Amino acid sequence: MQFPESWLREFCNPPLDTQQLADTLTMAGLEVEELKPVAPPFTRIVVGEIKEAVQHPDADRLRVCQVDVGQGSLLNIVCGAPNARVGIKVPCALVGAELPPGEDGKPFLIKVGKLRGVESQGMLCSARELKLSEDHGGLLELAADAPLGQDIREHLRLDDTLFTLKLTPNLAHCLSVYGVAREVAALTGAPLKTPSFPAVAAADTTKLPVKISAPDLCGRFSGRVVRNVNTKAATPQWMVDRLARCGQRGVTALVDISNYVMFELGRPSHIFDLDKIHGGLDVRWGKPGEMLKLLNGNTVTVDEKVGVIADNAQVESLAGIMGGDATSVSDDTQHVYVEAAFWWPKAIAGRSRRYNFSTDAGHRFERGVDPGQTVEHIERITQLIIDICGTPDTACGPMDDQQVNVPKAAPVTLRVARAAKVIGMPLTQAQCLDALQRLGLPVAQGEGTLTVTPPSYRFDLQIEEDLIEEVVRMVGYKHLPDTPPLAPITARLRPEAERSPFAVRRALASLGYQETINFSFVEERWEHELAGNPSPIKLLNPIASQMSVMRSSLLGSLLQVLKFNLDRKAPRVNVFELGRVFLRDAQSQNTDTTVAGFNQPMRVAGLAYGPRAALNWSQPDKAVDFFDIKGDVEALLAPLQAVFAPAAHPAMHPGRCASVSVGGKAIGFVGELHPQWRQGYDLAQAPLLFELELDAVLQRQVPEFKQVSKLQPVERDIAVIVAEGVTHAALMGAIHGAATQGLLKGATLFDVYRPQQASASMQLGEKSLAVRLVLSSDTATLTDEEIEVAVQAVLANLQGQLGARLRA
């Protein structure tokens, strides 16, 4: 909320300078977001009156003006403004004046000069040249009674500061200049000037029929008829200036009066053209299909969840938000109906956002407006209408005040001991009593307790903690002691046998993958198709229809990223994500990091699509395949030994999918996308995917010291014939399981041969595997006999477990 400091000081003027006042408000919870001067610095600019204006002899767009600035002699000033004419009073920059800096950042100094041969002894100024507004259509015209020669800063009260407050939703009682002044008086002890609302005498008996059909929408509705007003009257300059300094442009006198009282007292109101109302008014919930053209030109459709004010023919206003165009006041308006109501905050909250706009009225009503002052504020509006738009025939009708569902003030009790404990400093009952009384709250004392019956404008005081907050605001946050925490803090050190998630990210990045970060909310179809999850965890209030459930797999998010990049012609996509998935688990209990009934483990998933490597002369242009991504998984898990076995996964190809196990425990899957989903995503080739439990990926064996043998190892190559179904893992398991007395240090498969046709040595359906064995002893050089015994042990184990035979 923005307002000028001078307006605030009219209600409460503490002995503080501007910065001290801003600091006081901020430390009381009313954060001053910005302090801004009304006008930039400038000097020697005074009120002048144009006494003569004649055409420049050598320029069609210039006039030579004789200007009186109260110095006894007239100044000769050349001016090009279209509204330069005799009789108006305007700002006049004298010789030596310094205007605000221009676009170059340098001040503009006024000197005696010549324009097309005519001497100019000053400059007549527009509002834009003084940096008062962006209006540069002509000279800034001043009031006719402006004193000649008076400094323009004094005349326009430009030595003022604009306060911009950033208020929290519970401080709705401060959404007015008077509301802030009330807080300043409580904080500083300075006297508060309370406005009075004398009743305007009713000279007319007209009363507009009003019915409140929805007490849960409107609790109080007050209004009166005012006849024979002059809607063409000009808004006084002082009111226009104050509204402008609150960020509100002037419209018409009646609209400006309504806005002025809203900023002054926090009461949004509305003024109807009485002659445009058909019959009476009905305050009710909308009906499906009803339409309303608003004052901003938008036409909206309401339903049963939106409050309206309607007459006998149509909807005329959105309750608490904006009036309708059909009953708006115009230059032809003669009679008006002034309305002020109490709208229940829950009935207004969120309604304007449904129509993609917000209003000052809606902003206040959805936070809460004082239900106890509707009549008084209408009296204030009525008096301003009479003073500004009144005519000899102006007459006011009687006040119509209907109260059907006004909030009842419930007493709230504050325990002094509880307040001291929550605030964290010793407090006496007298201190708490003083703080609450300074706020103007009625207080009843008890034994160690204070009971407050909140006034109508403090509708936010509902529980004990609300009163505790008021006490600490008045005592001052800066007086709270600096108490260090007493709880012991223990650093959570990562075990040596575990690496960090950041190290996993770096490992994947070194393999050529790029990290993505995706929503945990996904489309329900993904869960059914890609995760095989028939009962995903649904959100009660999803942010979008395609984000209605919590994911149990990261694969759907990666496929969405792939599709997004392919649609933008990316030829190669290698991406990964570390993220949390959400699974139903009856065994989970409530702790500081878990929720009962739900397991939320971290997983790491990756996707590769397109060429295995970027285009390069030294590498073949080969598309990524199963073995490429299998190798990436092995590199990610190294030095742990991963075991891959044929498996099935809902998102993966039935014959090109493997489970990944480490230490006998399954930790995830790797494979090619299922042809059905490849067709569904319209992919030219199948992407390769993997998804692993992050906890397993983080595990690392603690390095142990082992002495390097000083003896030369021995290598022996063997080739065995086995059935086509024998896997590499089975082969290595049989080799390392042989009884070699610890001499076998390593085995590497280096050749695979499959015959094209049957022969005497090999049949179709068999294959030849060539393996290099590395044998070594830590104690002595191996003899030929020891080597032969070890090789024969390996061959015997291969024959016994796999039915292998040595290839001749």
Side-chain angles (χ1 to χ4, degrees):
M1 186 185 73
Q2 179 178 295
F3 59 87
E5 179 184 2
S6 59
W7 196 0
L8 174 66
R9 290 187 182 273
E10 285 189 7
F11 289 111
C12 182
N13 190 12
L16 304 174
D17 62 28
T18 299
Q19 189 59 55
Q20 290 172 331
L21 178 58
D23 293 342
T24 300
L25 288 171
T26 297
M27 291 308 297
L30 284 72
E31 180 186 353
V32 179
E33 190 174 31
E34 183 183 19
L35 291 176
K36 180 181 177 182
V38 169
F42 52 76
T43 58
R44 293 180 59 79
I45 300 179
V46 299
V47 176
E49 182 180 0
I50 300 177
K51 294 294 187 179
E52 181 182 334
V54 298
Q55 187 68 41
H56 191 290
D58 295 326
D60 294 339
R61 296 186 179 182
L62 297 180
R63 291 182 177 85
V64 180
C65 303
Q66 300 297 314
V67 182
D68 185 2
V69 294
Q71 296 179 350
S73 60
L74 301 180
L75 300 179
N76 191 72
I77 298 177
V78 178
C79 177
N83 62 334
R85 63 187 187 276
V86 174
I88 63 170
K89 292 184 177 181
V90 295
C92 178
L94 306 177
V95 173
E98 191 174 273
L99 269 65
E103 294 181 358
D104 58 357
K106 297 179 181 179
F108 186 70
L109 189 64
I110 301 300
K111 302 177 183 179
V112 176
K114 287 188 176 182
L115 291 177
R116 294 289 184 93
V118 177
E119 184 177 75
S120 183
Q121 300 170 329
M123 174 179 171
L124 304 182
C125 304
S126 68
R128 187 178 185 181
E129 289 163 339
L130 299 181
K131 296 292 191 289
L132 301 181
S133 73
E134 290 301 315
D135 182 15
H136 61 285
L139 301 176
L140 174 61
E141 298 188 25
L142 305 176
D145 58 353
L148 291 177
Q150 185 181 31
D151 191 291
I152 205 71
R153 299 192 71 90
E154 179 183 352
H155 176 67
L156 295 179
R157 302 180 69 178
L158 299 180
D159 293 322
D160 200 353
T161 304
L162 300 182
F163 277 58
T164 301
L165 300 189
K166 187 178 181 181
L167 299 176
T168 52
N170 65 313
L171 295 174
H173 61 285
C174 296
L175 283 170
S176 65
V177 178
Y178 178 69
V180 176
R182 195 163 45 205
E183 292 290 311
V184 173
L187 293 165
T188 64
L192 176 67
K193 180 182 177 182
T194 304
S196 59
F197 307 102
V200 177
D204 186 89
T205 59
T206 306
K207 205 173 187 181
L208 183 70
V210 176
K211 179 176 68 172
I212 302 178
S213 300
D216 55 338
L217 166 67
C218 177
R220 183 177 184 182
F221 195 96
S222 306
R224 75 162 12 139
V225 171
V226 182
R227 291 189 173 276
N228 302 314
V229 296
N230 176 20
T231 55
K232 298 180 182 179
T235 306
Q237 190 60 42
W238 61 268
M239 182 177 286
V240 172
D241 291 342
R242 281 190 171 173
L243 288 174
R245 293 174 189 182
C246 290
Q248 182 71 49
R249 65 178 181 85
V251 185
T252 63
L254 289 175
V255 175
D256 292 345
I257 289 170
S258 177
N259 288 333
Y260 181 83
V261 173
M262 178 180 67
F263 287 115
E264 180 185 43
L265 304 173
R267 166 72 58 192
S269 59
H270 188 61
I271 300 177
F272 294 85
D273 186 325
L274 182 64
D275 295 330
K276 296 178 181 178
I277 299 176
H278 305 87
L281 296 179
D282 185 9
V283 182
R284 57 173 174 81
W285 293 105
K287 299 175 183 178
E290 288 185 318
M291 302 185 71
L292 169 66
K293 185 178 181 181
L294 299 170
L295 290 174
N296 62 5
N298 294 349
T299 299
V300 298
T301 302
V302 302
D303 56 27
E304 66 279 0
K305 294 183 179 180
V306 178
V308 300
I309 301 175
D311 60 16
N312 295 348
Q314 61 187 1
V315 175
E316 301 294 359
S317 174
L318 277 184
I321 298 174
M322 184 180 287
D325 180 71
T327 54
S328 61
V329 295
S330 64
D331 289 347
D332 298 327
T333 299
Q334 292 183 331
H335 315 303
V336 297
Y337 180 74
V338 183
E339 163 266 313
F342 166 70
W343 307 99
W344 286 97
K346 290 184 179 179
I348 305 300
R351 270 53 175 194
S352 60
R353 287 188 291 274
R354 292 180 56 179
Y355 304 113
N356 296 319
F357 68 85
S358 62
T359 62
D360 288 324
H363 181 78
R364 285 163 171 78
F365 279 125
E366 65 184 6
R367 284 159 175 77
V369 174
D370 181 8
Q373 297 264 298
T374 57
V375 170
E376 291 80 355
H377 293 171
I378 286 183
E379 296 288 0
R380 168 68 168 155
I381 295 171
T382 304
Q383 189 60 58
L384 287 173
I385 291 175
I386 293 173
D387 294 341
I388 297 172
C389 303
T391 67
D393 298 325
T394 299
C396 300
M399 186 70 68
D400 179 21
D401 182 30
Q402 299 186 43
Q403 303 184 41
V404 295
N405 188 19
V406 179
K408 303 293 190 298
V412 183
T413 299
L414 168 71
R415 295 166 291 174
V416 177
R418 171 68 176 166
K421 181 178 180 181
V422 171
I423 295 173
M425 64 180 290
L427 287 172
T428 64
Q429 185 162 331
Q431 285 178 294
C432 296
L433 177 65
D434 174 66
L436 297 175
Q437 287 181 335
R438 280 159 54 194
L439 287 165
L441 304 177
V443 186
Q445 297 193 63
E447 188 63 34
T449 63
L450 299 171
T451 301
V452 172
T453 302
S456 60
Y457 64 87
R458 289 309 304 269
F459 36 78
D460 59 304
L461 301 178
Q462 298 177 359
I463 58 176
E464 184 179 19
E465 283 71 14
D466 295 332
L467 295 182
I468 293 175
E469 182 183 6
E470 297 305 303
V471 169
V472 71
R473 286 200 311 117
M474 293 298 106
V475 170
Y477 292 110
K478 61 183 178 182
H479 295 135
L480 295 179
D482 296 330
T483 306
L486 301 178
I489 299 176
T490 304
R492 297 184 61 181
L493 299 177
R494 190 177 300 280
E496 190 177 357
E498 184 180 305
R499 59 177 170 173
S500 69
F502 181 72
V504 175
R505 290 183 171 93
R506 291 194 56 156
L508 283 166
S510 67
L511 292 170
Y513 290 82
Q514 291 183 314
E515 184 176 10
T516 65
I517 300 175
N518 300 293
F519 279 108
S520 296
F521 318 133
V522 299
E523 191 173 349
E524 187 173 3
R525 178 176 60 86
W526 295 0
E527 285 297 299
H528 296 320
E529 296 176 353
L530 300 174
N533 183 7
S535 180
I537 301 169
K538 295 187 177 182
L539 297 172
L540 294 177
N541 187 22
I543 60 176
S545 60
Q546 70 273 20
M547 295 182 176
S548 59
V549 300
M550 304 298 290
R551 65 183 178 184
S552 64
S553 171
L554 305 181
L555 300 181
S557 300
L558 294 181
L559 285 171
Q560 184 183 40
V561 171
L562 170 65
K563 184 63 176 172
F564 181 88
N565 283 274
L566 292 181
D567 288 345
R568 285 150 185 81
K569 306 303 180 183
R572 178 173 176 266
V573 180
N574 281 29
V575 292
F576 77 93
E577 180 179 7
L578 265 73
R580 199 172 295 280
V581 297
F582 303 85
L583 311 169
R584 297 187 186 276
D585 182 10
Q587 304 302 320
S588 296
Q589 302 298 321
N590 273 325
T591 68
D592 56 343
T593 59
T594 61
V595 178
F598 301 97
N599 185 21
Q600 306 174 59
M602 291 288 292
R603 289 186 184 171
V604 54
L607 179 147
Y609 180 93
R612 179 56 183 142
L615 187 64
N616 189 286
W617 65 270
S618 64
Q619 296 180 0
D621 188 12
K622 171 180 173 292
V624 65
D625 61 18
F626 175 85
F627 296 101
D628 291 320
I629 200 163
K630 175 176 175 286
D632 290 341
V633 171
E634 289 178 327
L636 180 63
L637 293 171
L640 300 179
Q641 294 297 318
V643 177
F644 298 86
H649 188 282
M652 298 182 183
H653 193 295
R656 299 174 188 172
C657 171
S659 64
V660 184
S661 301
V662 174
K665 178 184 177 183
I667 64 168
F669 292 88
V670 58
E672 183 181 296
L673 183 65
H674 196 292
Q676 181 179 356
W677 312 136
R678 171 186 167 185
Q679 183 179 4
Y681 280 92
D682 192 22
L683 302 175
Q685 66 186 69
L688 283 303
L689 311 109
F690 69 85
E691 183 171 21
L692 308 173
E693 298 289 344
L694 182 61
D695 288 343
V697 178
L698 297 179
Q699 300 307 311
R700 278 293 172 269
Q701 296 171 350
V702 179
E704 297 179 3
F705 172 75
K706 289 184 179 179
Q707 187 173 3
V708 178
S709 176
K710 298 179 180 180
L711 302 174
Q712 184 176 358
V714 176
E715 295 179 350
R716 290 289 186 271
D717 293 346
I718 61 173
V720 294
I721 300 173
V722 297
E724 180 64 37
V726 174
T727 64
H728 175 268
L731 176 71
M732 290 301 160
I735 292 174
H736 287 286
T740 61
Q741 308 304 318
L743 298 182
L744 182 63
K745 302 302 182 183
T748 305
L749 175 68
F750 66 87
D751 183 60
V752 179
Y753 170 72
R754 293 180 176 87
Q756 298 297 322
Q757 58 186 8
S759 65
S761 58
M762 292 183 65
Q763 301 298 319
L764 293 177
E766 293 182 329
K767 60 185 176 182
S768 171
L769 304 177
V771 180
R772 177 162 294 170
L773 306 178
V774 179
L775 305 170
S776 177
S777 172
D778 298 333
T779 59
T781 301
L782 296 178
T783 64
D784 289 342
E785 292 77 8
E786 290 173 327
I787 295 171
E788 185 62 25
V789 169
V791 172
Q792 291 302 321
V794 170
L795 290 173
N797 209 45
L798 287 171
Q799 182 179 4
Q801 292 189 15
L802 305 179
R805 65 183 187 275
L806 188 63
R807 182 178 175 185

